[in-house]
Amino acid sequence: MARLARLTLAGQVHLVMLRGNNRQPVVRDDADRQVLLDMLAEQALRHRVAMHAYVLTDNQVQLLLTPESAEGVPKMMQAVGRSYVRYFNTRHGRSGTLWEGRYRSTLIQPERHLLGCMTCMDLEPVRERLVDEPASFAWSSHRHHIGQLHDKRVSTHPLYWRLGNTPFAREAAYAELVRAGLAAPQIEAMARAVWHGWPLGDAAFVASLQQQTDRRLTPAKAGRPAKTSSSTSVS
């Protein structure tokens, strides 16, 4: 079955994942991490894409992005993917593919899932046993959102501002969300959505997106289409 085209719409929040081929590392040291993050920030600015959150582990990148145009995210990710592979192969004396095919992405309903996706991303280094707590990981936007540093790469989403009336209140509220964590079904739903490209939101949200695209937004029912009956005259 042919793979569905990625869904990209202006002004919508996109959950994006780019993974190493066969889950192999895409970074080998902090120099690689810095170059990759700088490339992401540069291309986001060039293609007018707001980067709300990010996490970079050894073998994958996860991003929350809002583009000003439908072409913003594809152009950004294509530029980063190609440029980083050239850099990585040259620096490490290798050749061939680095990424596991094309990047994966989906649209999320911010009111229901943005903070949950941010939390899930912040906890990824803990799930991968890279650190004991998110604040110990230097390569995500978590410390920006809890007020430990200012990350100029991050374009804070309006829903984050609603967490409190002061910076301290917002930072404390967000830190508490991350401490509370997510239930396994929530994490699995996000993973399925980004992997298969189905929008993550309620029925009304999906219906509103469907009005903006001809691309199918929900999985097809299993099995063959039902046959229609027809009358036949016999003489």
Side-chain angles (χ1 to χ4, degrees), residues 150-219:
H150 174 71
D151 190 336
K152 63 182 181 181
R153 305 179 190 92
V154 177
S155 177
T156 306
H157 192 278
L159 284 174
Y160 172 85
W161 294 101
R162 299 181 194 175
L163 290 174
N165 293 325
T166 66
F168 178 80
R170 290 188 290 271
E171 293 154 8
Y174 182 73
E176 183 56 37
L177 285 176
V178 177
R179 276 194 293 270
L182 295 172
Q186 290 177 280
I187 298 173
E188 292 166 3
M190 293 172 190
R192 283 195 305 270
V194 72
W195 188 254
H196 295 292
W198 306 122
L200 188 61
D202 60 25
F205 173 71
V206 175
S208 70
L209 295 180
Q210 191 66 82
Q211 294 176 359
Q212 303 176 59
T213 179
D214 293 331
R215 179 208 191 260
R216 181 163 50 89
L217 299 185
T218 55

Side-chain angles (χ1 to χ4, degrees), residues 2-234:
R3 181 183 294 178
L4 286 173
R6 280 187 297 260
L7 177 63
T8 60
L9 294 173
Q12 297 289 340
V13 179
H14 295 60
L15 174 60
V16 175
M17 180 180 68
L18 187 59
R19 195 159 68 177
N21 190 39
N22 294 323
R23 299 199 177 189
Q24 295 176 352
V26 299
V27 292
R28 294 186 181 177
D29 55 26
D30 285 353
D32 287 347
R33 295 179 180 92
Q34 191 65 59
V35 166
L36 182 49
L37 286 179
D38 286 347
M39 286 183 178
L40 287 165
E42 177 186 356
Q43 295 301 329
L45 182 62
R46 177 172 297 174
H47 296 292
R48 296 180 299 162
V49 178
M51 185 159 63
H52 307 304
Y54 68 86
V55 62
L56 168 58
T57 57
D58 290 349
N59 66 1
Q60 67 175 321
V61 181
Q62 295 182 42
L63 307 164
L64 278 173
L65 308 171
T66 297
E68 291 185 19
S69 70
E71 296 79 24
V73 170
K75 287 183 176 179
M76 170 188 169
M77 297 307 296
Q78 182 182 65
V80 171
R82 291 178 176 176
S83 297
Y84 184 73
V85 169
R86 288 195 297 269
Y87 154 83
F88 189 85
N89 285 353
T90 299
R91 182 172 188 239
H92 297 292
R94 68 183 298 277
S95 61
T97 186
L98 179 64
W99 308 115
E100 187 178 67
R102 63 182 190 169
Y103 72 89
R104 304 277 179 162
S105 70
T106 192
L107 304 189
I108 68 166
Q109 184 177 4
E111 295 79 7
R112 292 174 66 96
H113 295 292
L114 181 121
L115 294 173
C117 285
M118 289 171 59
T119 296
C120 186
M121 290 165 61
D122 286 350
L123 291 171
E124 183 66 23
V126 178
R127 287 192 295 272
E128 294 188 18
R129 300 183 179 181
L130 301 176
V131 292
D132 293 329
E133 57 182 26
S136 299
F137 191 70
W139 304 100
S140 80
S141 53
H142 176 73
R143 293 189 296 171
H144 173 87
H145 289 115
I146 63 170
Q148 288 191 359
L149 56 80
H150 174 71
D151 190 336
K152 63 182 181 181
R153 305 179 190 92
V154 177
S155 177
T156 306
H157 192 278
L159 284 174
Y160 172 85
W161 294 101
R162 299 181 194 175
L163 290 174
N165 293 325
T166 66
F168 178 80
R170 290 188 290 271
E171 293 154 8
Y174 182 73
E176 183 56 37
L177 285 176
V178 177
R179 276 194 293 270
L182 295 172
Q186 290 177 280
I187 298 173
E188 292 166 3
M190 293 172 190
R192 283 195 305 270
V194 72
W195 188 254
H196 295 292
W198 306 122
L200 188 61
D202 60 25
F205 173 71
V206 175
S208 70
L209 295 180
Q210 191 66 82
Q211 294 176 359
Q212 303 176 59
T213 179
D214 293 331
R215 179 208 191 260
R216 181 163 50 89
L217 299 185
T218 55
K221 293 183 179 180
R224 296 180 178 178
K227 293 183 178 180
T228 57
S229 60
S230 58
S231 59
T232 304
S233 61
V234 179

